[in-house]
Each structure stands twice: as C-alpha cells, then as structure tokens.
Amino acid sequence: MTDKKQDTKATGVSAMWGGRFNAGPSAVMEAINASISFDKKLYAQDIAGSKAHATMLATQGIITKDDALTIIAGLDQIKTEIETDVFEFKVSLEDIHMNVEARLREIIGDAAGRLHTGRSRNDQVATDLKLWVRDALDTLDGDIAALQAALLDQAEIHAASVMPGFTHMQTAQPVTLGHHLLAYVEMLGRDRSRVQDARARMNENPLGAAALAGTSFPIDRDLTSKALGFDRPSANSLDAVSDRDFAMEYMAAGAILSVHLSRLAEEIVLWCSDQFGYLRLSDEFSTGSSIMPQKRNPDAAELVRAKTGRVIGALNSLMIVMKGLPMTYGKDMQDDKEPVFEVADTLALSLVAMTGMMQGAVFNKERMHGDAGKGFSTATDLADWLVQTLAMPFRDAHHVTGALVKMAEDKGVGLENLTLDDMQSVEAGITHAIFDVLGVDNSVASRTSYGGTSPINVANSINNARARFL
C-alpha cells in the first residue's frame, strides 16, 4: 500500500509551465502526460525549427543577434549530444521541446529563455511533425521507386513470358508475366502520385501561429518558411495548430500503398505454392518448417500482407482521435505521433522486403506457359476471329464459341485439339485459319491495343514506365 501511495505522490512543479501551480503532477499524471519516449524522434526537426525561429527573432530585432548566435550554437551542441547518445532525455520534462529547451538553458543560461518568444508548443509541435512527415514522404517516394525498378527489371526479362490471366481466380485469357508485373508498376505510380500530392499540399508553415491566435511580436513568418523549406506560412492561426490532415493524408496514402503491397504479396504466396509453381523466392526471403523438412515458406510475403492491417489500423487510430476535437489544440493530439511513426517504420520494412523478393525472384516460364492454355483461355480469341473473319455479331460469336467450349470440355481436350470437322459442325464458316489464333503465343501477340499484353506493347510500356517513374 505504501508503494502505491508513493507512485501517485506529487512531484516538483515544472519550471517550464508551473508558475500557476502550487504542486506538481502526480506520477500517474506525469506518465500519461509525457511523450518523450516517442517524440524524441522529432529532435532534428525541433532543433531546425528553433534555429530558424531564433534567426528570425534576431532579424526582426526581437532578440539580439548575439543571443541568437548563442542559442544556435547551443542547439547545435544539443543535436550532437543526441546523435552521439550522451543526451539525457527526462520524462519529467514531458516532450522533446521542453527537453531541448531545458538543456539549452543549462548550456547557455538565460538567453535560452528568449527562444520561446513569439511561439508556443502548439505551433512548435505542428511544425516539427510537419517537417518529419515531409521527410517521411520523401523517403517513401524513393522506397516505392526502388520497388518499381525491381518490377521493371523482371518485366523486361519476362516481356514475352506467357502466363494465365485470371478473373475470379479462374483462367481467363493468356497474358505475359511482364504485363502482369507492369500492373503493379502502375499501381505504385499512383501511390507515388498521392505521396507527391500530399507533400505539396502539406508544405505550409505553422510556426508563428503561436498558441492559437498568432502573436503581437513583429515576427516574419515568410522568413521562417523560407528557412525551413515551406512554400508559404499557413493562412489561419487556428487551423495551423489544429491541423493534422497532413498526418492523416500521409497514412491514407500509406494504407492504399499497403493494400497494393498486400495484393502483390498474395500473388507471391499463391505462385510459390506447389499448386501453381510459378515462382521461387531466394533463400534470403524464405523460411523452413520446424517439423516438415520439405517446406519452403514465403514468409516475407505473408508478413508484408499482414502488415497492411497495422497501417490501416494506425490511420483509423488518428482519424478517431481527431474526429471529435473542437478548435484548436487538445492534448488528445499528442497521440498523433505514434501511429505516424509506426506507419513509417512498417512501410519502410515492407517496401524493402518486397523489393528484395522481386530482385531475387525466379519464375518458371515453362510451368506458366503450360498453364496459360488451360481452362479454354483462348475462347475469346476464337470469338474475336468469328467477328473479324465471318463478320458475325459478337453475341452470336459468343454463343458459337460457348458451344465449341462445351464440345471440347465433353471430349476432354483443349479448343486447339478440336478438329476442323468438329468446329464446322457448330459453325460451317470456320476455316483452318482458326487454329492460328488458338495458341497462347498467338493470343498474346494479337493483343496490340494500347495497354494490351502483346510483347511488343510490354517492351514499349517498360521504356515508357522507366521514363515516367525512374
């Protein structure tokens, strides 16, 4: 019982904000209030924002240039201390902002107290997180591009490798593996577009909005915006401190990306199975079984598939935090950082893993080619031939083809194994030329419409994709 009482005993009043209080927070309050365990990730952005703010204050004559230089030197020392693991992060100081400010005071004395002129932790944390997310978006764009490059390399090797195309997981029409992989290149291209759009939209500077209403000091928000690489200052101080759209949009783009990665991972899992036998992953991205020595499991793909739930869950977490908040800042918003950080870590790991899998993937062209002709996959080619050669309405051609498929199914053969007499018993106008379109190689070669699967198209699409994306 004594220990429990001790756990909730009030601690000392914070020098940072405790002037209005007679007693400090309980240990429980200190624990729930502190964010330093995770927001220390923002140290570089926090220090960059403070240096820009100090420079602006001196330029505007709000503090002296000597104080600004002293502050900047102290901040540089703190950054070095953090990066060399000698900085002591203190839970009692709550967050990265107060930890840095307290250490700055230890290093340079009273001049440190002038740094916070004309700003609040509200605009400070919004600025820090924006800078961090902006960096994360840049990293994400590069990681997606690396996966696109790996897919394009495989697509180039397999531009003419024929495989089954599926709808409803049933054999539909032959396609090339290169064409199939290019579909993911396009998906990832849209992901990068969302990433780039989000970066452009978020690039407004909250610093100078202060707590919520702006400040009476003659600050220059354009100066700090330029120093920090923002396009402009945010236009409304209330919105500036309460906006977390940029974090949600980052995670939303990440969630859609994760869905795309999961779809590719699912196909990898299927293709690695004995039932398909299309793909062999390298040893680096495969595992064995503790009991079944023959097993070769595509665990990396399965884990990428699973991590989609973590990203979607993190997005939901922040959206639920934000959905009921009035203007402007509430401490609820302290919970914005952990889901953002989790998404960044998860996406980085998933993309590196998927890129590695694609770089080392070995495809079984013979197995894919053999399966491409199964399931009457050239039936549409037959119907198209009837339309093009016999001028038959497509619906009539569809009916004739269906009757021929049933005949082949009853005989237990493929369409290409029916005799000409068999075919003419259903449609007298069919000639021996029909057999030119029933092979899977002929089928894919004929799909020359823009965006189609013909090897010539695929080769051109690869070149275009390299120009567009890499």
Side-chain angles (χ1 to χ4, degrees):
M1 182 66 72
T2 303
D3 289 341
K4 290 182 178 180
K5 287 182 179 178
Q6 181 64 35
D7 285 345
T8 59
K9 185 178 180 181
T11 59
V13 178
S14 171
M16 297 295 172
W17 50 259
R20 188 229 185 275
F21 293 81
N22 293 322
S26 72
V28 172
M29 180 61 200
E30 186 175 88
I32 197 172
N33 193 47
S35 59
I36 190 60
S37 63
F38 51 85
D39 72 13
K40 61 186 177 183
K41 278 180 176 282
L42 301 174
Y43 79 90
Q45 291 76 21
D46 191 73
I47 289 171
S50 290
K51 289 170 67 174
H53 186 66
T55 300
M56 180 275 295
L57 291 176
T59 301
Q60 295 299 104
I62 299 170
I63 66 174
T64 68
K65 290 184 179 179
D66 285 345
D67 278 345
L69 291 173
T70 301
I71 288 168
I72 290 168
L75 291 168
D76 285 337
Q77 178 179 330
I78 291 169
K79 188 170 186 285
T80 299
E81 290 177 358
I82 293 173
E83 291 176 347
T84 55
D85 294 325
V86 298
F87 187 92
E88 181 185 359
F89 292 103
K90 298 177 181 178
V91 174
S92 61
L93 292 172
E94 298 181 9
D95 56 32
I96 185 62
H97 323 297
M98 292 172 69
N99 268 266
V100 169
E101 185 174 334
R103 177 59 180 147
L104 186 63
R105 185 176 286 272
E106 290 175 355
I107 296 170
I108 68 171
D110 290 345
R114 297 186 174 93
L115 173 60
H116 209 54
T117 307
R119 74 175 184 182
S120 162
R121 275 195 294 176
N122 293 357
D123 63 337
Q124 191 178 358
V125 67
T127 303
D128 290 1
L129 188 59
K130 267 200 172 184
L131 291 172
W132 196 95
V133 170
R134 192 177 70 185
D135 291 342
L137 286 165
D138 290 341
T139 298
L140 183 58
D141 185 66
D143 288 346
I144 300 172
L147 177 54
Q148 285 182 300
L151 288 164
L152 284 166
D153 288 344
Q154 288 285 6
E156 194 162 34
I157 293 169
H158 296 286
S161 299
V162 179
M163 67 175 293
F166 299 92
T167 63
H168 308 278
M169 276 307 295
Q170 305 295 312
T171 301
Q173 293 177 274
V175 297
T176 67
L177 175 59
H179 191 61
H180 192 112
L181 297 176
L182 283 174
Y184 287 102
V185 173
E186 291 298 321
M187 289 184 197
L188 295 170
R190 293 193 296 275
D191 289 319
R192 291 181 66 192
S193 177
R194 277 182 281 272
V195 166
Q196 292 158 10
D197 286 349
R199 192 195 191 284
R201 194 163 18 256
M202 68 163 287
N203 206 34
E204 295 183 343
N205 182 20
L207 192 60
L212 75 162
T215 178
S216 59
F217 290 96
I219 62 173
D220 185 342
R221 296 187 65 205
D222 288 311
L223 194 156
T224 53
S225 296
K226 183 176 180 181
L228 295 171
F230 287 111
D231 295 330
R232 66 192 67 85
S234 54
N236 183 283
S237 61
L238 298 172
D239 178 56
V241 298
S242 63
D243 168 36
R244 293 299 183 272
D245 290 2
F246 63 92
M248 291 187 286
E249 190 169 7
Y250 165 61
M251 290 192 285
I256 297 172
L257 167 62
S258 289
V259 170
H260 292 159
L261 295 178
S262 183
R263 295 181 70 180
L264 178 54
E266 170 71 5
E267 296 204 305
I268 289 172
V269 172
L270 290 173
W271 292 351
C272 284
S273 68
D274 289 336
Q275 287 70 27
F276 278 82
Y278 295 171
L279 172 61
R280 181 182 178 91
L281 293 179
S282 66
D283 290 349
E284 288 83 356
F285 291 95
S286 303
T287 65
S289 166
S290 63
I291 191 172
M292 295 171 284
Q294 84 281 8
K295 292 296 292 298
R296 184 183 179 87
N297 300 323
D299 281 5
E302 293 171 9
L303 289 165
V304 168
R305 186 175 59 184
K307 290 184 183 300
T308 303
R310 297 173 70 94
V311 177
I312 294 171
L315 169 62
N316 285 340
S317 171
L318 182 53
M319 292 180 76
I320 291 168
V321 166
M322 296 300 298
K323 73 172 182 63
L325 297 186
M327 288 292 183
T328 53
Y329 182 83
K331 202 59 179 276
D332 318 52
M333 291 164 73
Q334 182 167 286
D335 271 11
D336 59 358
K337 297 166 196 66
E338 286 180 290
V340 168
F341 298 155
E342 181 177 17
V343 165
D345 291 342
T346 302
L347 292 177
L349 182 58
S350 296
L351 284 163
V352 169
M354 189 60 76
T355 300
M357 282 186 274
M358 282 295 102
Q359 287 171 336
V362 176
F363 291 91
N364 187 334
K365 294 191 291 185
E366 292 75 20
R367 181 71 172 264
M368 291 188 298
H369 191 280
D371 282 358
K374 295 178 179 179
F376 310 105
S377 66
T378 57
T380 304
D381 298 277
L382 194 158
D384 289 346
W385 184 90
L386 293 172
V387 172
Q388 293 171 355
T389 306
L390 304 184
M392 187 179 293
F394 182 80
R395 283 301 168 201
D396 294 343
H398 188 285
H399 181 78
V400 169
T401 302
L404 290 171
V405 166
K406 186 176 187 308
M407 179 186 289
E409 192 172 42
D410 291 343
K411 288 176 175 288
V413 299
L415 284 171
E416 67 276 12
N417 301 120
L418 291 174
T419 67
L420 182 59
D421 288 342
D422 288 334
M423 293 194 180
Q424 288 178 338
S425 70
V426 176
E427 171 49 57
I430 294 177
T431 69
H432 198 272
I434 190 67
F435 294 100
D436 292 338
V437 302
L438 293 182
V440 294
D441 295 296
N442 290 332
S443 175
V444 297
S446 72
R447 304 293 171 181
T448 56
S449 61
Y450 182 78
T453 191
S454 74
I456 292 174
N457 277 15
V458 171
N460 289 333
S461 294
I462 290 167
N463 290 333
N464 290 337
R466 289 193 190 280
R468 288 160 56 205
F469 298 127
L470 302 182

